[in-house]
Amino acid sequence: MTLRSFADSETEFRIVASGSPPSVDGLSITEPKWLECVSCGARVRIDAGDETQTTIDNLPHDRDCPQRDVTSRYYVDRFVR
């Protein structure tokens, strides 16, 4: 499998806002809550307390997602090489 960078111009991810009031999740309605794959909708919660825990590498992509091979340089350096 060839791994691609999340910075590749052919990949697409988005930051999704909370959409709910602070009484529900502690975030304002417009505050970032999820990192989401545009292709399959896989999401990982953005942890404001520890931003290092929210990465492209943590997305639980569908098996047939065309972006399943997208990783960060850190992941490749640390776990692949």
Side-chain angles (χ1 to χ4, degrees):
M1 174 194 296
T2 302
L3 299 176
R4 294 181 294 157
S5 170
F6 67 90
D8 187 308
S9 63
E10 296 179 5
T11 64
E12 191 173 357
F13 299 90
R14 68 176 149 234
I15 303 294
V16 180
S18 169
S20 58
S23 60
V24 174
D25 57 13
L27 303 171
S28 68
I29 292 173
T30 59
E31 195 169 352
K33 183 174 182 177
W34 302 101
L35 174 63
E36 181 179 74
C37 173
V38 172
S39 295
C40 71
R43 287 181 167 187
V44 64
R45 175 84 189 254
I46 296 172
D47 184 354
D50 187 0
E51 295 85 3
T52 63
Q53 296 301 310
T54 305
T55 69
I56 295 294
D57 308 313
N58 298 115
L59 284 168
H61 293 281
D62 290 343
R63 282 191 166 284
D64 59 349
C65 178
Q67 298 196 121
R68 190 170 185 205
D69 64 337
V70 176
T71 61
S72 66
R73 181 179 298 156
Y74 172 82
Y75 179 86
V76 171
D77 290 346
R78 178 86 187 224
F79 300 108
V80 179
R81 291 185 184 170

